[in-house]
Amino acid sequence: MTGTDTFQLSLETARTYEAAFVPSLFASLARQLIDLADVTAGDDVLDVACGTGIVARTAAERTGPSGRVVGLDLNEAMLTVAREVRPDLEWRQGDAAALPFPDAFFDVALCQSGLMFVPDPAAAVAELARVVRPGGRVAVQVWSSLDRQVAFRTLTDAVARHAGRDAVDLISTYFRLGDRERLTGHLTRAGLRVTGVRTLPATVHAPSIDDYLTTEVESTPLRDRIGDDVYRRIREDVRTGLARWTDGGGRLALPLEAYAVTARRG
């Protein structure tokens, strides 16, 4: 990761993320994370690194009007889209490593596919632990390590060939917390009792390989760092490499692996 400003995405990119990745991938993961955290009616829930808000929106369906749901993200463009989709929920801009909430303020603190973008994950986990009440729950979902992502490595290999190894960092930050023992260690040192580690198979669906690649590249800073010719060569390689995961109509079903860690504050 090259710094927090690397992922200060544009409003156009945030809308692409909401339109493409949320329905094809993150909505399903959000439901699983909320199930694992046992979110129920009346809970006060914090969604950290909320992006465009799919976890917060899904949690609000569970908590009902008697609960409070807050989504927090550093990226204002993501929050703009979150407010467009659910203006009735509470959206806050803030740093995951310095949450703007009192101690023991929430029943549940969640973080889906966001912790890997925080420069200091240990500090962010400590903040998740701080803001939940005694007996409260913390649930974090991250992606397994890149060596376990057989299909995604087709893209990273193509980027490395045509744009250089440094460019791979712009699209592989997702997998930097793939070491489960390291992540569970962060939670334990924050004073939480780890209650489960669950593997979550996931699938990205797209109408075609080209549609997937466009979304993947153009929802990260990579597109701004490569020229049209490099982008074309990456696309050609990826079309060949991902063909095995398409059906007869060219629709793509790309397998990924995530995992979730759940914990309680004593």
Side-chain angles (χ1 to χ4, degrees):
M1 185 157 181
T2 57
T4 54
D5 59 336
T6 299
F7 286 90
Q8 287 297 309
L9 304 178
S10 68
L11 184 57
E12 180 182 2
T13 298
R15 286 181 174 141
T16 297
Y17 173 95
E18 171 65 26
F21 278 131
V22 167
S24 71
L25 178 62
F26 291 118
S28 174
L29 285 171
R31 289 190 294 272
Q32 294 180 74
L33 187 67
I34 287 164
D35 284 343
L36 291 172
D38 194 26
V39 174
T40 57
D43 278 341
D44 294 332
V45 179
L46 175 64
D47 175 15
V48 173
C50 66
T52 57
I54 184 58
V55 171
R57 300 192 312 252
T58 307
E61 296 172 1
R62 297 283 186 89
T63 64
S66 59
R68 178 186 185 187
V69 177
V70 181
L72 177 139
D73 202 276
L74 192 62
N75 193 298
E76 186 57 39
M78 290 291 203
L79 292 171
T80 296
V81 176
R83 293 183 185 109
E84 290 172 351
V85 178
R86 281 295 300 268
D88 57 311
L89 296 183
E90 185 176 347
W91 307 104
R92 297 277 296 272
Q93 185 175 32
D95 185 350
L99 295 174
F101 305 105
D103 295 352
F105 198 63
F106 295 95
D107 298 301
V108 185
L110 306 170
C111 185
Q112 174 177 278
S113 297
L115 194 60
M116 64 285 291
F117 296 112
V118 179
D120 188 348
V125 169
E127 282 291 272
L128 292 173
R130 179 184 67 79
V131 300
V132 293
R133 297 172 179 128
R137 291 93 72 200
V138 171
V140 176
Q141 178 262 308
V142 298
W143 298 102
S144 298
S145 58
L146 185 57
D147 62 3
R148 297 182 64 86
Q149 311 293 348
V150 176
F152 193 87
R153 287 206 313 270
T154 297
L155 174 56
T156 58
D157 289 349
V159 170
R161 277 192 296 273
H162 300 295
R165 292 301 313 175
D166 289 347
V168 173
D169 292 342
L170 298 173
I171 57 169
S172 62
T173 303
Y174 311 121
F175 310 111
R176 68 186 283 255
L177 294 181
D179 185 329
R180 300 180 188 209
E181 290 187 7
R182 181 184 176 195
L183 181 57
T184 55
H186 288 330
L187 273 72
T188 300
R189 286 187 290 275
L192 296 167
R193 177 174 58 87
V194 174
T195 56
V197 181
R198 184 79 59 86
T199 299
L200 304 176
T203 304
V204 178
H205 296 278
S208 69
I209 292 172
D210 278 358
D211 285 318
Y212 165 72
L213 182 65
T214 297
T215 301
E216 186 66 59
V217 171
E218 296 182 14
S219 63
T220 73
L222 177 62
R223 182 64 184 98
D224 294 333
R225 311 292 178 88
I226 59 175
D228 291 344
D229 184 60
V230 169
Y231 195 7
R232 177 187 57 78
R233 284 184 276 131
I234 291 171
R235 189 177 295 277
E236 289 172 354
D237 274 10
V238 171
R239 282 174 184 156
T240 300
L242 294 185
R244 60 186 283 198
W245 287 289
T246 58
D247 64 16
R251 291 179 292 273
L252 178 69
L254 189 78
L256 295 170
E257 183 184 276
Y259 69 97
V261 181
T262 54
R264 283 187 178 269
R265 180 175 171 181

